[in-house]
Amino acid sequence: MKRTVQESGGKRKAGLEELRRRLDERGGHMTRQRAAVYDYLSGVEHHPTAEEVFLNVKRRIPKISLATVYKNLEALVACEAISKLTYGDGSARYDIRTDHHYHTRCLGCGRMWDLEAARGKSALEQIKPQPGFAVSDFRLELLGHCEDCRG
Amino acid sequence: MKRTVQESGGKRKAGLEELRRRLDERGGHMTRQRAAVYDYLSGVEHHPTAEEVFLNVKRRIPKISLATVYKNLEALVACEAISKLTYGDGSARYDIRTDHHYHTRCLGCGRMWDLEAARGKSALEQIKPQPGFAVSDFRLELLGHCEDCRG
DNA sequence: TCCAAAATAAGAATTATTCTCACCTTGCTC
DNA sequence: GAGCAAGGTGAGAATAATTCTTATTTTGGA
């Protein structure tokens, strides 16, 4: 499992200590399973589905159940340690980053990547909604085909 | 059931004749059920779920089955007579418009509205993905609170 | 009218996700 | 470090949205 650290700009991923603090705030506990889920997400560069997280964490904790993975992902989202990506077809994906950014999604293989928010923010701010509507957030996805799927 | 016609700009909804032509092209047939599904979508201003379409079409064709509604929605999407909106949480929604446009979604009441593509297109085209990724489409949602939900 | 391809109804099956509940851990407090 | 209450876990059942299956019916052209 490759462990690459993301670089440059924005609030990125927090360490386990920070995670524990956040869990504490909401009366949550740190468990082996929870740490493993968080750790797996910290170590991958794409945005896996719950199933993928389950299969990978299972290698470390063979008896972990899928429901536990789901509940931990939910808990991590609740304490803002990770974020849930619900656009896209099929299943939700989870992202270690909680800073504001957008995604590219390959229509061939379904994989998703990060798109730097900086690249889109000013462009998006030019877009005005109907009168009376107060925009608080943007969701943006670029769809297309990745290098591997273009052949 | 209110039947309002959308106005101004872009390729909007096609009539039943146009629909028949499009179905023909792909070897599809026009059926009473298919026409009813299309007709229902043409007559509403929001973007209903398959369930909503089913319940409403059922009033005209009591014996229609939910699977038929799903298959018809799929067929209509395939011949580009309608489009499927899969962002958002929960179930997919269907939209009579197939021209390229975006949506605003109220976080208070969940309703969705159209956002003119013209307002976003040039802004979005400034956004560049990672090298090697060929963008074929954008999906954009503005999240916030509508006039009614701001009180 | 005849026919092959396509569509339908009904319900079973699948997929992603959440719930249930008996038992086990965590993180205090003493 | 033992005791305890709140929270977490695992296994499987339950649910929700969607798709598949199959026998029967419709459609649109020859």
Side-chain angles (χ1 to χ4, degrees):
Chain A
M1 226 183 310
K2 203 165 51 165
R3 305 264 146 176
T4 332
V5 174
Q6 289 166 321
E7 300 144 49
S8 86
K11 186 174 68 182
R12 296 299 173 75
K13 67 194 183 198
L16 280 183
E17 279 321 304
E18 169 69 4
L19 174 57
R20 178 180 288 269
R21 199 186 55 69
R22 288 177 186 223
L23 287 167
D24 252 17
E25 267 175 9
R26 327 184 94 247
H29 294 167
M30 173 65 98
T31 65
R32 205 158 63 91
Q33 292 83 343
R34 192 157 289 175
V37 165
Y38 185 77
D39 202 42
Y40 172 69
L41 274 175
S42 303
V44 294
E45 295 190 68
H46 66 299
H47 305 321
T49 60
E51 185 75 17
E52 273 178 83
V53 175
F54 172 62
L55 291 174
N56 281 280
V57 169
K58 214 175 163 62
R59 305 204 300 224
R60 281 217 266 159
I61 307 179
K63 294 205 50 135
I64 197 168
S65 94
L66 180 56
T68 298
V69 169
Y70 271 105
K71 280 201 270 181
N72 279 327
L73 289 169
E74 189 188 333
L76 294 175
V77 169
C79 72
E80 295 176 12
I82 67 173
S83 47
K84 184 178 183 178
L85 313 177
T86 51
Y87 28 6
D89 313 300
S91 24
R93 291 171 173 273
Y94 295 86
D95 185 349
I96 194 71
R97 291 178 59 178
T98 57
D99 60 322
H100 206 277
H101 67 289
Y102 313 112
H103 296 95
T104 49
R105 177 157 61 93
C106 178
L107 296 169
C109 59
R111 283 185 295 170
M112 294 180 74
W113 293 265
D114 290 328
L115 178 69
E116 291 314 309
R119 284 184 153 140
K121 193 158 194 304
S122 65
L124 290 176
E125 279 166 355
Q126 297 164 27
I127 302 171
K128 297 290 171 237
Q130 71 264 36
F133 191 92
V135 176
S136 58
D137 201 4
F138 296 90
R139 298 177 73 180
L140 173 66
E141 231 187 350
L142 305 199
L143 305 175
H145 291 272
C146 72
E147 207 147 19
D148 295 346
C149 292
R150 284 168 74 182
Chain B
M1 227 182 307
K2 204 165 48 161
R3 304 265 145 176
T4 331
V5 175
Q6 289 167 320
E7 300 143 49
S8 87
K11 186 175 67 183
R12 295 299 173 73
K13 68 194 182 199
L16 280 183
E17 280 321 303
E18 168 69 3
L19 175 56
R20 178 181 286 269
R21 198 187 55 69
R22 288 179 185 220
L23 287 168
D24 252 18
E25 267 174 10
R26 326 184 95 246
H29 295 166
M30 173 64 99
T31 65
R32 206 158 63 91
Q33 290 84 344
R34 192 158 289 176
V37 165
Y38 184 78
D39 201 43
Y40 172 69
L41 274 175
S42 302
V44 294
E45 295 191 68
H46 65 301
H47 305 320
T49 60
E51 185 74 17
E52 273 178 85
V53 175
F54 172 62
L55 291 174
N56 282 280
V57 169
K58 214 175 161 62
R59 305 203 301 223
R60 282 218 265 159
I61 306 179
K63 296 204 51 139
I64 197 170
S65 94
L66 180 55
T68 297
V69 169
Y70 271 104
K71 280 203 268 177
N72 279 327
L73 289 169
E74 190 189 333
L76 294 175
V77 169
C79 72
E80 294 176 11
I82 66 173
S83 48
K84 184 177 183 178
L85 312 177
T86 52
Y87 26 10
D89 315 299
S91 25
R93 291 172 172 273
Y94 295 86
D95 185 348
I96 194 68
R97 291 179 60 180
T98 57
D99 60 320
H100 207 274
H101 67 290
Y102 313 112
H103 295 95
T104 50
R105 179 156 59 94
C106 178
L107 296 170
C109 59
R111 283 185 293 172
M112 293 178 75
W113 291 265
D114 291 327
L115 177 67
E116 293 313 309
R119 283 183 152 141
K121 192 158 194 304
S122 66
L124 290 175
E125 280 166 354
Q126 297 165 27
I127 302 172
K128 297 290 171 240
Q130 71 264 34
F133 191 91
V135 176
S136 57
D137 200 5
F138 296 90
R139 301 176 71 178
L140 174 67
E141 231 186 351
L142 306 197
L143 305 174
H145 291 273
C146 71
E147 206 147 17
D148 296 348
C149 292
R150 285 169 71 183

